[in-house]
Amino acid sequence: MSVNPITPTISLTEAGKRHGFLRLPYSRNDSAWGSIMLPLTVVVGGAGPTALYTGGNHGDEYEGPIALQHLAAELRPEDISGRVIIVPYMNYPAFRAGTRVSPVDGMNLNRSFPGRPDGTATQKIADYFQNVLVPMADLVLDYHSGGKTLDFLPFACAHELDDPAHHAACIAAMEAFGAPYSLRLREIDNVGMYDSAVEAQGRLFVTTELGGGGTATAKSVAIARRGALNLLRHIKILPGEVEPAPSVTLSMPGDDCYHFAGAEGLFEPVRDMGDQVEKGDLIARIWPSDRTGAAPAEQHAQRSGLIAARHFPGLIQMGDCLAVIAERGA
Amino acid sequence: MSVNPITPTISLTEAGKRHGFLRLPYSRNDSAWGSIMLPLTVVVGGAGPTALYTGGNHGDEYEGPIALQHLAAELRPEDISGRVIIVPYMNYPAFRAGTRVSPVDGMNLNRSFPGRPDGTATQKIADYFQNVLVPMADLVLDYHSGGKTLDFLPFACAHELDDPAHHAACIAAMEAFGAPYSLRLREIDNVGMYDSAVEAQGRLFVTTELGGGGTATAKSVAIARRGALNLLRHIKILPGEVEPAPSVTLSMPGDDCYHFAGAEGLFEPVRDMGDQVEKGDLIARIWPSDRTGAAPAEQHAQRSGLIAARHFPGLIQMGDCLAVIAERGA
Amino acid sequence: MSVNPITPTISLTEAGKRHGFLRLPYSRNDSAWGSIMLPLTVVVGGAGPTALYTGGNHGDEYEGPIALQHLAAELRPEDISGRVIIVPYMNYPAFRAGTRVSPVDGMNLNRSFPGRPDGTATQKIADYFQNVLVPMADLVLDYHSGGKTLDFLPFACAHELDDPAHHAACIAAMEAFGAPYSLRLREIDNVGMYDSAVEAQGRLFVTTELGGGGTATAKSVAIARRGALNLLRHIKILPGEVEPAPSVTLSMPGDDCYHFAGAEGLFEPVRDMGDQVEKGDLIARIWPSDRTGAAPAEQHAQRSGLIAARHFPGLIQMGDCLAVIAERGA
Amino acid sequence: MSVNPITPTISLTEAGKRHGFLRLPYSRNDSAWGSIMLPLTVVVGGAGPTALYTGGNHGDEYEGPIALQHLAAELRPEDISGRVIIVPYMNYPAFRAGTRVSPVDGMNLNRSFPGRPDGTATQKIADYFQNVLVPMADLVLDYHSGGKTLDFLPFACAHELDDPAHHAACIAAMEAFGAPYSLRLREIDNVGMYDSAVEAQGRLFVTTELGGGGTATAKSVAIARRGALNLLRHIKILPGEVEPAPSVTLSMPGDDCYHFAGAEGLFEPVRDMGDQVEKGDLIARIWPSDRTGAAPAEQHAQRSGLIAARHFPGLIQMGDCLAVIAERGA
Amino acid sequence: MSVNPITPTISLTEAGKRHGFLRLPYSRNDSAWGSIMLPLTVVVGGAGPTALYTGGNHGDEYEGPIALQHLAAELRPEDISGRVIIVPYMNYPAFRAGTRVSPVDGMNLNRSFPGRPDGTATQKIADYFQNVLVPMADLVLDYHSGGKTLDFLPFACAHELDDPAHHAACIAAMEAFGAPYSLRLREIDNVGMYDSAVEAQGRLFVTTELGGGGTATAKSVAIARRGALNLLRHIKILPGEVEPAPSVTLSMPGDDCYHFAGAEGLFEPVRDMGDQVEKGDLIARIWPSDRTGAAPAEQHAQRSGLIAARHFPGLIQMGDCLAVIAERGA
Amino acid sequence: MSVNPITPTISLTEAGKRHGFLRLPYSRNDSAWGSIMLPLTVVVGGAGPTALYTGGNHGDEYEGPIALQHLAAELRPEDISGRVIIVPYMNYPAFRAGTRVSPVDGMNLNRSFPGRPDGTATQKIADYFQNVLVPMADLVLDYHSGGKTLDFLPFACAHELDDPAHHAACIAAMEAFGAPYSLRLREIDNVGMYDSAVEAQGRLFVTTELGGGGTATAKSVAIARRGALNLLRHIKILPGEVEPAPSVTLSMPGDDCYHFAGAEGLFEPVRDMGDQVEKGDLIARIWPSDRTGAAPAEQHAQRSGLIAARHFPGLIQMGDCLAVIAERGA
């Protein structure tokens, strides 16, 4: 059987704080003996659990990478009980390119689990998390935002799990994070997700969507940073109480929460993020991109609720997710 | 001398409303006798002035195109005194590609004036506006937003002009537009702008920046639509009074309003759009994109004022305009 | 086991006629929650068999898509006994790009069967046909033409099959189609074909090659449209008799039917499509593309027969199929 | 003033036949001191006029290059009175790429005259013909076909010229060529053409359109080869009589000969090349490329006449020339 | 099970010398029925062993292809006892593109073994060597050099093998080759190598690294040519004695032989190829590529020895192999 | 008239040493208000002349950039009399891309002089040197090497100039540089060179070619660094004597020094850099890249002399400069 060629340049277990890399040999036209170098910080304090914090699973989402750079800079081993493993740019080639999927192999890391040790670069990264890092972790926090093409209300998220105790623990961790919204997300296309891979190993798992459009704001970064510390406090790696923050509970209980564009063209949102809409309300128009004087396609709300996500770019393709309407309450 | 090959498929002068195209022959590998077809609506009512309304000068800015699709659909010749010429996607190839500059020749239409009748596609478009459409117009409104890489507070804008009467008339038109902010913008690199080309012909000229990030919102579209009608009322093409709207007056009086990134990396805004900052305040950090554990570059405010514009994407290059700080008042 | 994520937006079984899509979720850089939308028409009449009609298996072949757009527009549920499922653009991303293989994953749909539910976009499409649509069908008609790089005499085609009854039924269906030529085609590289996948499920299968060069003509479209109706009549979905049409029977009995270019350069056909040639005749020259004054490579007929197919573009690479010579008669 | 850097590797004036190149130094990333090498054959016999024969002005048109390779191989200096200069691949980078315009600078050679000695590669080629080769020539024959995106009835062509004697001489030369059709072509976009550059120097000029689709046939090559010899006989470089061939005279007297696509989508020709149509006849449909069940756009003949040219690829863009209808007779 | 579609155009077994191709059908957008044609020479003399000689495993390494073109031209069947199979451009698409990995599928042939008969083009090539050519061979010589991004001291190489007899035989063959250096190479990332595939079949295997930078010299070609003949003499396919040549024995006994760049930027080698360095010596600097006035990163020798390989291009990425230090002696 | 938009971020005249940038505003799709930032160091000491030192005129040549990074780091204002302006990466976008010409506009900076203030990025850089920096300089040193596609013997170079005093001064400066070879270079295509632009302003000008292949060595860097100091000593900006170094004088007196490839294929040098060859000697073979068993094209020396330059990559195109043979002595 193949062995994953990724090696850390620093110890994952020694006490103290170290900054280094996960080195993945990567032979290519412009470097025969090149490597992909995923930045990595490991902070090891006294006895305690291990938290694995990741950002950049998709390369165009920025709250996680920024919060994790802060955490890597600021967390002190003497302050913690346990270990924190920080990988701010998980799909590093995608992060450097500013793209959702890897420019190296065109793959979406979050649909590549469990990965392959002898596969493409993205598959090797997935395999390394699957078989090396996640097994070390008690808690995994994976930051997401909408990226360049989606926008989200800022929420932390837990998935539905079969084991009630596991489920309750994940819900509690999500609540500890303290995002303005707390959501149970049903994924549109769920094969190969990191989320499922972590949950299947019985770990606590929290994910987020903290904004979107391929940017971050001072406000969204503050949410991400507070959540990082809150979770460490929640599992007792950091001392002290979780900093409380009000959070609106949301759910997306049915397929009809998801609205897909029925035409391609110029996208006009008629209702904005966070607006309450009623079933049947006009929520968007799509104007032809090749002429004037023709009526726009109209998109109406399939159910009542809050606009919790929307398509971001000004042009839209048929079948793009145009908006997601969430219900208040679980 | 060369003749511009662009021809309108509809009359620019006959009474009534017509939707058609500006047809620009464009021979290329995938169509030897192809054309670029710029959508065009002309509405001719009773006697009165001519307004030329344009969007899509940069192809990734969307408030203008949406507002102009509405106007083209809704304006009725029987309601107007004069003529309105509407070109919602001025640099049509860029609009279709969702890019600032034209994918056809790599040119920025707003730096291509006065254009050339025998030049590239973008130069031919510029020449046609310069020599055919602008000379027909009493008032020109050119919608802009920040596009995919900048964000702006929503403002209408007038430039400083030598002729006091011309200047005052442009200021009055800007005020009539009724954007939340009203600004006198000094361009960073001003050779070849449409703005200057129009102003040099003595026309009333109003431009805007109504948001950014390569998207639009219900709110920003409403500003754009109200402004379109207000300007038509202001020059008496539409009857009735200008709809009043509160507007904060801003100016950018010096080079030090513009803050350029001193490093490349992961961009963390520390202050958000519209925030008041004082000279010396930390406004952004730039983290290394290749490692953890290294200090970020810090950017401080060069003067006090309002954050009126900022870099949008999560990654930043050295020399990118990171933020613009404006002063309240003219 | 993975479940194929494709879902139809319309019922495949309810009586009546509906136009909709097969929606395939497709996350990508320019739409995180995007979809590939394959147009689909389902016509359900009285009791009877099911026909599955497809075009656009290769994205640069046009007779099938045009004939199927006509059929989708014109077929009335009250006229038919059974069901017709129409997918005019089977490899939709390739069709939109005008390319043989998918621009999304570089794959040839007709070499991707049986597909994978958790594979690339092309593999998911193959899997959906393999496991959902083909099992519903009694008869499958898959339109092909030569595409941008080959030209064919217009023929319908049946493959040799082990089961004599199955074989005879396919031959009869091919004859019912009524193309000017009827052929038994041996494929050059036959792993992963849709043809074999359908035949292995014991369905009637007819395919065609109706021209080529990446275009269609009024004449070739007429052949495609007549064949579509004839096959429906043949299996009694439509009432009435098959419209008779004269057809020349052809075969390609040996490897030496296929002529491959022995040099790269400028391709000069010396004999045209449909010409009768004798073994040893000069059929093409290949001139050097980098100089004058050098003798061309000459290609001679390896056997006597009809020029039934040829390379289309003016430049040729070594190893390209330059011509296929068929024999009259089975 | 700049000097054109192109140099021939062989003499243009010495008696005999030589094969060589026009060498254009071309510094680029993959060859700092590289060159573009245009193949060239010069045949110099006894006293007499000079003919300049060119193909590959557009890189995806093949009858000319093939006929000129034959001529370069077969013409013997002892048989001719005068000189023949043969450049079969005029825009050599485009010819090698199989594209209409140059991959080197994106320029259409036939819209680049008079060129520039210090411009891009295409401009340098234009300048060299303008200032070196055309001034040497009494007669210029420039072969064209429709290329990959247009198809033409096979015709030779003369343009209307102000000088009656010049005009008559060009008409006579066109007739001597002996194509199945003879046409006076009005160009859609005529700035920068080689044709005009040659005619302005008072030379005899004949051009052709001998088919299209980016391929050649045995039949179209035969037309091209016969025409090459006929013209040499016509101006007495070769002895003997012009080989007579029947030719239908055509004209395109008005703008309404040219039909442009009013929609984008799947192109269905309803009438074929050479068909006689009456004003108002349906000549093509354009089906939506993104759905079934929607009516196609219909294109009707703007005047009566012959289908003399048409769009070739199966997909069409708005504004593409869909068909040209010609009148019989001059 | 799938059958590999590659077929040789010449006999691999008949006596005499033939030049031909391995033809791999390859359907693609620009040739629906195209092929990849790997040049092949087979020389069959009297009874004796079979040698399989390959170059172009990576497409940007040139000593092997040149030496094998010489050998294919010069080797005479009457001079040999046995058979020599010569494939100078093993990954032909990569060789034509001048790239390490295949432009067709992005794969590194030397990490694609054992390949797949129904995989991508590179996988099919690997499978064909694995299952057809290597089983025919007693000795395999695979030429490598550093390619465009690495430089090597010229060495022949044998790997460590478990079977002492096999190991000794490979060492003896390596010594017979007669390169200036003889090395036991530990590969950085060894899954899927041709080397291992050959060795696992119990064949004699010799590989080389004969220079680099994507070029060859008269001197390095001479080494390659001498080695080719020496090996044939060594296994008695050619008569006569191995031509003796002095060779320095090297080894790379530990991970610390390999030096990876710790920063990206402008690469300055401080010590050159073949220089003796001591542990701790400065061997390279990496200057920032975006500014002046900042200190370069410095790279020091991790052990004493000879600079046996180095990064070639002037720019370097973090994680690129910057230098390899070898020890004299085995 | 347009004003060049480039501005230095540091003073060019104040005493002391400063590191900064030449900032060129550059609006593009991925940064609407972006800039190109050319690193710049200015060292101002006591009264004295000004030297302008540049590297990276072509982006794939590395001795200059490395030597200038050293100089920028090490030169102290207190040690010099006069001023040194250092721009190590003159065509910065090309340097970052590792390409000869700019990726931004495809232009060769060294063929873009005198530039245009309102042109492309490369033209603006040329204009800024032409009109701002060169007029400030008494001496200009512009480092070149062969780049990725050529290799040179290491030489300093002076061009022939009309003014004997100017000529003599340049020769003296070239000699002071102290490269192993000293050459009078005739450029193949000399329109738009920086060299000519500087010389036409009457400045002392020295250029170099210090190796090639897109790499640098410890040895070639040492030559570059010594030359930088020697020239400063020569014009008395640095005190002390020029460090003497033996230099072989070379010339390239005729067109026949330059050997161009007569075929495309696999390039085999038969003689190496610095070898003495006699007229008629075989210097290279070019093997077909598509087959074995065909004779290579052979290239013979057109004159006797030293191999002073050669094509570097393993593949060669027709018309590439294959080798340059120089004569010893001026």
Side-chain angles (χ1 to χ4, degrees), chain E residues 263-318:
Chain E
E264 71 183 48
L266 171 63
F267 171 53
E268 177 191 356
V270 175
R271 304 299 293 274
D272 282 333
M273 293 291 294
D275 282 2
Q276 172 72 27
V277 300
E278 303 308 315
K279 183 172 179 176
D281 280 0
L282 178 69
I283 58 171
R285 295 185 187 93
I286 300 175
W287 295 90
S289 56
D290 63 352
R291 63 186 68 221
T292 50
E298 297 196 335
Q299 199 89 24
H300 296 87
Q302 297 165 175
R303 59 185 298 149
S304 300
L306 220 57
I307 306 273
R310 73 164 179 101
H311 180 77
F312 195 79
L315 298 181
I316 198 164
Q317 298 295 314
M318 198 185 303

Side-chain angles (χ1 to χ4, degrees), chain F residues 60-147:
Chain F
D60 59 350
E61 302 173 5
Y62 297 102
E63 281 81 3
I66 294 168
L68 293 179
Q69 279 278 16
H70 274 285
L71 195 69
E74 295 156 10
L75 203 62
R76 302 188 307 171
E78 57 268 35
D79 294 340
I80 71 171
S81 305
R83 175 171 58 167
V84 184
I85 301 173
I86 300 169
V87 183
Y89 316 143
M90 196 181 181
N91 192 348
Y92 183 65
F95 171 75
R96 284 301 292 265
T99 52
R100 181 173 181 82
V101 306
S102 176
V104 155
D105 53 21
M107 295 188 78
N108 180 345
L109 176 57
N110 212 29
R111 292 298 179 283
S112 300
F113 280 81
R116 297 182 52 161
D118 62 349
T120 68
T122 303
Q123 290 172 321
K124 285 171 178 163
I125 294 170
D127 176 80
Y128 189 80
F129 275 83
Q130 174 82 21
N131 292 308
V132 179
L133 295 183
V134 170
M136 292 177 176
D138 299 280
L139 164 73
V140 173
L141 167 63
D142 186 40
Y143 281 106
H144 285 258
S145 302

